[in-house]
Amino acid sequence: DAGITQSPRHKVTETGTPVTLRCHQTENHRYMYWYRQDPGHGLRLIHYSYGVKDTDKGEVSDGYSVSRSKTEDFLLTLESATSSQTSVYFCAIRQGGSNEKLLFGSGTQLSVL
Amino acid sequence: KQEVTQIPAALSVPEGENLVLNCSFTDSAIYNLQWFRQDPGKGLTSLLLIQSSQREQTSGRLNASLDKSSGRSTLYIAASQPGDSATYLCAVSDNYGQNFVFGPGTRLSVLP
C-alpha cells in the first residue's frame, strides 16, 4: 500500500461519540475515496474528494462527513457513532495519467459498542 | 444505478488448474474495469485495469477480458497456486472515471 496510510488501524468507541479517521497520501493524487466494507454488502462508497475542499457524497453518506483541507489528507468523521457504523473502513486514491488504478490503504477496523 | 455481480461466490480448485472468474455489470457506460485481490484482513490490491476501449489485459498468469456491450468481464488465472487463494473483486467506474462500483467478490481457495 505504498503512499497511503490510514489511522488508526483499530478503534473501539461508544455509541454517540464522535470519531475521526484519517487517510494520508504521499503522492499528490487528486481523487481520494472512503469506502466501508461489510459482510453481505461488499464495498460501498461513503464520500469522495476530487480536490482540496471539493467533496461529494457516495452511496452511504448519511451519518458521515468528510474534509480535505490539504491534498494529502482526507478525513472521515462520524459525528455521533452508531452501532450500524461498525465496519472496516478503507481509504483509496486514484492514480492519475494513463494509469488510473485505485490504490487502497490497509483499512481501519471500527467497533461501536 | 450500476449493479455489479460476480459468479461464483466461492470456488475451490486443486493446484495447477486453470480457472475463470466472472463479473457482470448492468450499465455498459463505463470508463474502465478493474480486478482486485483481497487477502483476509488486508486492503485491496489492484491486479489489472482494462480501459473501456480495450478488450483484454494480461499480467503474468492473469488475463482479464472485457465485453462492454454485453456487460461482462472475466479473469482467467492460469496454473493456479495455493498462494492465489484470496477474494477477487471487480469494480467498474462510471463514464467519468470518478466513481467505482464493486462486485461482492469471489472467494477462491486453491488446494495443494
Side-chain angles (χ1 to χ4, degrees), chain B residues 4-9 21-24 35 88-91 102-106:
Chain B
V4 181
T5 56
Q6 292 186 245
I7 294 173
L21 307 181
N22 297 289
C23 172
S24 297
W35 281 93
Y88 291 81
L89 299 95
C90 67
F102 283 79
T106 293

Side-chain angles (χ1 to χ4, degrees), chain A residues 31 33 37 48 94 100 102, chain B residues 31 34 38 46 97-99:
Chain A
Y31 283 85
Y33 303 83
Q37 187 174 36
Y48 71 99
R94 194 191 80 176
E100 295 172 315
L102 278 180
Chain B
Y31 188 72
Q34 297 186 55
Q38 186 176 28
S46 181
Q98 289 183 354
N99 291 324

Side-chain angles (χ1 to χ4, degrees), chain B residues 26-106:
Chain B
T26 55
D27 186 350
S28 62
I30 66 169
Y31 188 72
N32 62 39
L33 181 145
Q34 297 186 55
W35 281 93
F36 296 86
R37 169 189 174 132
Q38 186 176 28
D39 294 290
K42 304 291 186 182
L44 282 72
T45 300
S46 181
L47 298 173
L48 290 166
L49 180 148
I50 310 177
Q51 299 288 0
S52 60
S53 58
Q54 297 175 322
R55 294 302 299 268
E56 66 179 329
Q57 281 287 335
T58 298
S59 175
R61 295 183 292 108
L62 305 179
N63 175 276
S65 67
L66 174 64
D67 184 343
K68 200 174 83 159
S69 61
S70 67
R72 294 179 183 175
S73 175
T74 61
L75 179 66
Y76 175 83
I77 303 177
S80 58
Q81 304 170 357
D84 294 330
S85 298
T87 297
Y88 291 81
L89 299 95
C90 67
V92 295
S93 66
D94 61 23
N95 218 14
Y96 303 99
Q98 289 183 354
N99 291 324
F100 300 83
V101 178
F102 283 79
T106 293

Side-chain angles (χ1 to χ4, degrees), chain A residues 27-90:
Chain A
E27 301 179 2
N28 271 342
H29 292 296
R30 181 181 171 197
Y31 283 85
M32 299 184 74
Y33 303 83
W34 277 108
Y35 289 90
R36 60 179 290 176
Q37 187 174 36
D38 305 285
H41 292 279
L43 272 158
R44 292 179 292 174
L45 180 66
I46 305 171
H47 282 279
Y48 71 99
S49 170
Y50 46 96
V52 173
K53 291 184 170 44
D54 292 323
T55 64
D56 207 347
K57 296 179 180 180
E59 177 187 359
V60 290
S61 60
D62 287 348
Y64 302 94
S65 63
V66 290
S67 66
R68 192 166 178 201
S69 58
K70 298 184 291 185
T71 300
E72 58 266 36
D73 289 326
F74 192 31
L75 304 181
L76 177 70
T77 297
L78 290 65
E79 302 290 347
S80 177
T82 67
S83 59
S84 65
Q85 293 176 312
T86 293
S87 186
V88 180
Y89 291 85
F90 287 103

